[in-house]
Amino acid sequence: MIVIGEKLNTSNRRIARAVVERDAAFIIAAAREQAEAGADYIDVNAGTLMEEEAQSLCWLVGTIQAEVDRPLCLDSADPMVLARAAECHRGEAMINSISLDAERLQGLLPLITSWPCRVVALCMPISGLPASAGDRVEAGAELAGRLTDAGVAPEKIYLDPLVQPVSVDAQAGVKILESLEGIRRRLPGVNIICGLSNISFGLPRRRLLNRSFLALCLSRGLDAAILDPTDERLMDMLLSTETLMGRDENCQSFIDAHLSGRFETEE
Amino acid sequence: MIVIGEKLNTSNRRIARAVVERDAAFIIAAAREQAEAGADYIDVNAGTLMEEEAQSLCWLVGTIQAEVDRPLCLDSADPMVLARAAECHRGEAMINSISLDAERLQGLLPLITSWPCRVVALCMPISGLPASAGDRVEAGAELAGRLTDAGVAPEKIYLDPLVQPVSVDAQAGVKILESLEGIRRRLPGVNIICGLSNISFGLPRRRLLNRSFLALCLSRGLDAAILDPTDERLMDMLLSTETLMGRDENCQSFIDAHLSGRFETEE
């Protein structure tokens, strides 16, 4: 599974301050920590900085890519900001995100079809937040269709079924699992991504809920997740679930992780 | 989910010694610890004691039931031993186990149809260990049919798809998940049970694998598991997965567990 480190988001006050003060050392350390913990991509989001967003995101991209050898996941609701951040990025970025919203779709299609990138595509109907798993699969299929019609290869698309908190809707987790199964069935060539920690919003013991939910999503074919790779128990759960799902030949990765002392100490 | 405490098994040397020496205090403490940790049933297995098995099992039943308010899961491969242990048991026991094997089936049917009990029914073809999920579902359906034909109510039947180690067959976990889905579809009124820890046999970090596997099985409709209820992280995983699967109205059990300090300390 592809791991996207979620920590460089200005909704966190310490990150926001470091971005505003252009504290490169702090940002590089936070990016490197995630890369060393297993992140394949580093997500960068400066959405809270409003009119400073585009400039801040470009600074983040340049600062991180000068020191940390990982592609970035460029995270903004504004197509113009994403276009500017993409210009600063070397190699194949992940664009987070596109949706069926006309302005967002039209604003991003030129970028996505002309740059080498992957794209997070939200399973959100034009009418607003999806209510059922069926709504999500429908919206995802329509958006994936628009993207492939425009020339985007299916394997570059990461459909996001939009995790809602189980504290708000007791069926929120089940709906995501059903969405994963529905997308996998209907669109076998397209990837699926989740923002994992939304599931536990508003509840105590969030990390426990996050790691349970990761196991459930992985067993339904999740391909990528935006998560905290420095959460060791979460990464242990990722590895053990991959092994249980038969994706670890002779359990070799699992045994190697044990022998290298990579697991946290306790059983 | 119904939790069956697995620890009173003479394959463990300390338990074997306590049974042989008729150390009631030790046995009662081990049973009570499991009950307080959340066991709904206490499994008792004296299979390693050979010709002493029946007498030892009866002693275990009487000793535990005198002090601990839980029904027992009577665990033996020998129908005669199970019949004798059932005679010693007050209330509705769980009989573990019956199979399509003619001797075992004929030996146990009179007991199961005349006593108030639940029964673990192995999804094992007469030809031996099942190879595929389909084999398991077939064998389970046939055995459940035999039992209901004899008058056993479907809700008293606990089909066991027979967990094999993922260290022996990388697809062992996937086969069980497919079996759970197949049984749930074909026999909606019958319960499903697993012996959880078999999945991790032969590997390091068994508890990590066991708790990942519990989450996966629970999300496919597992109704009961034979496990170690004193493993706090495993029980935390049980509770969080039930919450994620929408089986915890308003997340109340989860929040209550947090407020009561029932979770282990760390996030």
Side-chain angles (χ1 to χ4, degrees):
Chain A
M1 197 195 72
I2 293 176
V3 172
I4 298 139
E6 71 183 3
K7 299 185 83 172
L8 284 174
N9 190 316
T10 58
S11 65
N12 177 301
R13 267 188 310 165
R14 291 172 64 203
I15 302 294
R17 188 185 310 139
V19 173
V20 168
E21 295 175 357
R22 299 293 190 257
D23 182 348
F26 183 92
I27 295 299
I28 289 163
R32 184 170 282 142
E33 185 191 18
Q34 294 183 87
E36 286 172 356
D40 301 295
Y41 283 80
I42 310 293
D43 190 87
V44 283
N45 184 320
T48 60
L49 301 185
M50 312 295 286
E51 60 270 28
E52 297 295 316
E53 184 186 2
Q55 210 178 342
S56 300
L57 211 56
C58 283
W59 176 77
L60 278 165
V61 170
T63 302
I64 296 166
Q65 287 209 304
E67 296 287 339
V68 181
D69 186 24
R70 288 290 184 286
L72 303 187
C73 179
L74 309 173
D75 191 353
S76 172
D78 184 340
M80 298 291 289
V81 169
L82 289 170
R84 281 192 53 195
E87 281 176 35
C88 311
H89 189 278
R90 285 182 289 103
E92 191 185 68
M94 188 176 280
I95 304 294
N96 183 9
S97 58
I98 199 166
S99 75
L100 284 169
D101 173 79
E103 193 182 332
R104 207 147 156 184
L105 189 60
Q106 296 314 320
L108 279 173
L109 267 184
L111 173 70
I112 290 164
T113 51
S114 61
W115 283 69
C117 66
R118 304 183 188 209
V119 60
V120 177
L122 307 184
C123 297
M124 190 182 330
I126 294 179
S127 57
L129 267 189
S132 69
D135 290 344
R136 288 169 158 92
V137 177
E138 278 305 317
E142 190 180 338
L143 182 51
R146 298 276 196 102
L147 292 171
T148 50
D149 286 351
V152 180
E155 67 269 21
K156 300 294 183 188
I157 301 172
Y158 288 74
L159 286 181
D160 180 346
L162 294 166
V163 173
Q164 300 296 309
V166 74
S167 61
V168 172
D169 171 9
Q171 298 307 314
V174 174
K175 286 175 185 171
I176 293 299
L177 300 182
E178 290 176 358
S179 300
L180 294 179
E181 289 177 342
I183 294 168
R184 193 44 75 239
R185 238 187 338 260
R186 184 147 159 195
L187 302 159
V190 164
N191 297 294
I192 314 179
I193 192 169
C194 276
L196 198 69
S197 59
N198 292 347
I199 195 71
S200 61
F201 183 81
L203 287 174
R205 306 287 156 167
R206 292 192 65 179
R207 290 184 166 206
L208 169 60
L209 288 162
N210 293 347
R211 62 181 175 267
S212 305
F213 196 55
L214 178 61
L216 303 187
C217 290
L218 268 176
S219 79
R220 262 72 176 194
L222 189 71
D223 299 292
I226 303 177
L227 52 74
D228 178 1
T230 69
D231 178 345
E232 293 181 354
R233 292 194 187 184
L234 184 64
M235 298 299 277
D236 288 356
M237 184 61 59
L238 168 56
L239 189 50
S240 65
T241 305
E242 297 273 38
T243 299
L244 291 173
M245 293 306 295
R247 299 172 195 147
D248 178 11
E249 189 78 33
N250 297 321
C251 307
Q252 203 57 57
S253 301
F254 191 82
I255 293 168
D256 287 347
H258 171 64
L259 294 177
S260 71
R262 138 103 176 65
F263 289 120
E264 47 147 358
T265 316
E266 221 181 314
E267 265 281 289
Chain B
M1 198 197 71
I2 294 175
V3 172
I4 298 138
E6 72 183 2
K7 298 184 82 170
L8 283 173
N9 190 316
T10 57
S11 65
N12 176 301
R13 266 189 308 163
R14 291 172 64 202
I15 302 295
R17 188 186 310 139
V19 173
V20 169
E21 294 174 358
R22 297 295 188 257
D23 182 348
F26 184 93
I27 295 298
I28 289 163
R32 185 170 283 141
E33 183 191 20
Q34 293 183 88
E36 288 173 354
D40 301 294
Y41 283 79
I42 310 292
D43 191 87
V44 282
N45 184 320
T48 60
L49 302 185
M50 314 294 286
E51 61 271 28
E52 298 295 315
E53 183 185 4
Q55 208 180 341
S56 300
L57 211 55
C58 283
W59 176 78
L60 278 165
V61 170
T63 302
I64 295 167
Q65 286 209 305
E67 297 287 340
V68 181
D69 186 25
R70 288 291 186 285
L72 302 187
C73 180
L74 309 172
D75 191 353
S76 172
D78 184 340
M80 299 292 288
V81 170
L82 288 170
R84 282 192 54 194
E87 280 175 37
C88 311
H89 189 278
R90 285 182 290 103
E92 191 186 70
M94 188 176 280
I95 304 293
N96 184 8
S97 58
I98 200 167
S99 73
L100 284 169
D101 173 79
E103 192 182 333
R104 206 147 157 184
L105 188 61
Q106 296 313 320
L108 280 173
L109 267 183
L111 172 70
I112 289 164
T113 52
S114 61
W115 283 70
C117 66
R118 305 182 188 209
V119 60
V120 177
L122 307 184
C123 297
M124 191 182 330
I126 295 179
S127 57
L129 266 190
S132 69
D135 291 343
R136 288 169 159 92
V137 177
E138 278 306 316
E142 189 179 338
L143 181 52
R146 298 275 196 103
L147 293 171
T148 52
D149 286 350
V152 180
E155 66 269 21
K156 301 292 184 189
I157 301 171
Y158 288 73
L159 287 180
D160 179 347
L162 295 167
V163 174
Q164 301 296 308
V166 74
S167 60
V168 173
D169 171 9
Q171 298 307 312
V174 174
K175 285 175 185 172
I176 292 301
L177 300 182
E178 289 175 357
S179 300
L180 294 178
E181 290 176 341
I183 294 168
R184 195 39 81 236
R185 241 190 332 265
R186 183 147 161 195
L187 303 160
V190 164
N191 297 293
I192 314 178
I193 192 169
C194 276
L196 198 68
S197 59
N198 291 348
I199 196 70
S200 60
F201 184 82
L203 286 174
R205 305 288 157 168
R206 292 193 64 178
R207 290 184 166 205
L208 169 60
L209 288 162
N210 293 347
R211 63 182 174 265
S212 306
F213 195 56
L214 178 61
L216 303 188
C217 290
L218 268 175
S219 79
R220 261 74 176 193
L222 189 72
D223 299 291
I226 304 176
L227 52 75
D228 178 2
T230 68
D231 178 346
E232 293 181 353
R233 293 193 187 185
L234 184 65
M235 298 300 276
D236 289 356
M237 184 61 58
L238 168 56
L239 190 49
S240 65
T241 305
E242 297 273 38
T243 299
L244 291 173
M245 292 307 295
R247 298 171 196 149
D248 177 13
E249 189 78 33
N250 296 322
C251 307
Q252 202 57 56
S253 301
F254 191 81
I255 292 168
D256 287 348
H258 171 64
L259 294 176
S260 70
R262 139 99 177 65
F263 288 120
E264 49 147 356
T265 316
E266 220 182 313
E267 266 280 292

